Amino acid sequence: TSDIEDWYLEISYPPLERVTSYSETSTGDYEETKLGQTYPFHQRKVSHRNHVFDLKIQPGESKRIFLRVETGGSMQLPIILWEKEEFIKKTQMWCIYLGILYGALSSMMLYNLFLYFSLRHRSYLYYVLVISGSVFSNAAMNGLGFQYIWPDLPWFNHRSAIVFIHFGIIACILFTESFLDTNRYFPRFKKIGQLIIALNALNLFIVFFISYKIALNIIIPLMLISIFTIITVGFICLQKGARQARFFLIAWIIFILGIAISALADGAYIPLNFWSKYAVQISAILLKTNYYIVLSNRGF
């Protein structure tokens, strides 16, 4: 019943592997459009990080549209039908939000890289690697990596989130060892950390050369084990007198809270909105800001 002819149908979950629309034509046939992270980005009619279908519906016309979605990961389908102008306004606002997110993380990364070259303390370098893993894993999950960095590499894009999450976990283990001075307060962590790094490296081998689905099933328990280990080491070092462990634990508790909120939103236990959808990214900024303050004041 609307007078508007131009519409956008958006599915705002970039990691979906294959999203196919079948739009009814005036002759009764169906026009097929394929999107998804397994197809090259330049094939998209609408250049956007999310899956967006450009629809033409005349005033007074009825049109039937079917969607077929296939993915090996989380099946999230937030579907919105947009007026074209409203979609453009929404996209501009999200560019601001994401610009703030990546701007904050990038500024921390560059500043601490400068400090590493100036002071040669490894905590700064590992901290830069932690932020890098966070930046690229977030870019992989929200579609910006596929849109701007590796648009012609759908095979890599399909695996990119797992790759950068493992990279971030390995960097976190190295940062934990250096930041908490575990050689002094908890020497046994060296072997534990080496084991966790080896397991993450093994799953990287699996995702590249054996099976994406197997690696996807492994990464969640491996993340939980890694986080539990890091927090446990933090408490042990705190009990043994490591002053910096207080800041370390506060940061990780905030980060876990962000993970819990996102998990509840993914499971439809709480509403999916900006705060719940990006709780992990927001808590990651708070975690890294806490380290940023400590390192900037040479709190280690």
Side-chain angles (χ1 to χ4, degrees), residues 101 104-105 108 127 134 247-258 261 275 278-294:
L101 168 66
L105 293 174
M108 295 178 196
Y127 179 66
S134 178
F247 305 98
F248 183 89
L249 289 170
I250 290 171
W252 274 97
I253 289 171
I254 294 173
F255 184 54
I256 290 174
L257 181 61
I261 292 173
W275 299 105
Y278 289 96
V280 172
Q281 288 89 337
I282 294 170
S283 62
I285 289 179
L286 294 175
L287 179 147
K288 292 169 181 63
T289 301
N290 186 65
Y291 290 151
Y292 175 81
I293 294 171
V294 176

Side-chain angles (χ1 to χ4, degrees), residues 72 162 166 202-203 206-207 210-221:
I162 292 179
H166 280 306
L202 176 62
N203 205 40
I206 292 172
V207 74
I210 299 179
S211 170
Y212 168 80
K213 289 186 177 180
I214 293 176
L216 191 63
N217 291 328
I218 292 174
I219 191 171
I220 299 300

Side-chain angles (χ1 to χ4, degrees), residues 70-292:
E70 303 169 79
T71 190
S74 177
M75 180 70 80
Q76 297 188 43
L77 297 174
I79 302 175
I80 305 176
L81 184 64
W82 292 94
E83 297 177 11
K84 192 171 183 178
E85 291 184 1
E86 291 300 317
F87 177 80
I88 292 172
K89 292 179 182 177
K90 186 270 300 189
T91 299
Q92 290 173 336
M93 288 302 300
W94 277 104
C95 284
I96 294 174
Y97 296 147
L98 293 174
I100 293 171
L101 168 66
Y102 288 105
L105 293 174
S106 298
S107 63
M108 295 178 196
M109 183 170 61
L110 292 174
Y111 178 71
N112 282 275
L113 188 61
F114 171 78
L115 289 178
Y116 168 71
F117 286 120
S118 300
L119 303 175
R120 296 294 178 178
H121 195 288
R122 284 186 300 173
S123 288
Y124 295 111
L125 178 60
Y126 295 147
Y127 179 66
V128 169
L129 296 178
V130 170
I131 299 177
S132 299
S134 178
V135 167
F136 283 102
S137 61
N138 285 329
M141 288 297 295
N142 61 34
L144 288 177
F146 195 32
Q147 183 175 1
Y148 293 111
I149 305 175
W150 50 82
D152 297 320
L153 299 173
W155 183 86
F156 173 75
N157 181 64
H158 186 45
R159 295 159 174 78
S160 58
I162 292 179
V163 171
F164 291 119
I165 288 173
H166 280 306
F167 177 84
I169 292 173
I170 293 172
C172 283
I173 295 296
L174 295 173
F175 177 75
T176 299
E177 183 179 354
S178 177
F179 184 82
L180 293 179
D181 193 9
T182 57
N183 289 333
R184 174 185 175 187
Y185 294 103
F186 188 51
R188 281 186 295 175
F189 177 69
K190 191 171 189 66
K191 291 185 177 180
I192 297 172
Q194 289 174 345
L195 175 61
I196 293 175
I197 290 174
L199 291 174
N200 279 272
L202 176 62
N203 205 40
L204 283 174
F205 178 84
I206 292 172
V207 74
F208 277 121
F209 300 106
I210 299 179
S211 170
Y212 168 80
K213 289 186 177 180
I214 293 176
L216 191 63
N217 291 328
I218 292 174
I219 191 171
I220 299 300
L222 194 52
M223 283 178 59
L224 294 175
I225 291 171
S226 301
I227 292 173
F228 175 78
T229 302
I230 289 170
I231 292 177
T232 302
V233 171
F235 276 111
I236 291 173
C237 291
L238 180 63
Q239 290 178 345
K240 293 187 176 181
R243 184 171 59 90
Q244 66 273 30
R246 291 177 294 175
F247 305 98
F248 183 89
L249 289 170
I250 290 171
W252 274 97
I253 289 171
I254 294 173
F255 184 54
I256 290 174
L257 181 61
I259 293 174
I261 292 173
S262 288
L264 290 172
D266 290 344
Y269 294 104
I270 61 176
L272 184 66
N273 52 38
F274 172 81
W275 299 105
S276 59
K277 184 175 182 179
Y278 289 96
V280 172
Q281 288 89 337
I282 294 170
S283 62
I285 289 179
L286 294 175
L287 179 147
K288 292 169 181 63
T289 301
N290 186 65
Y291 290 151
Y292 175 81

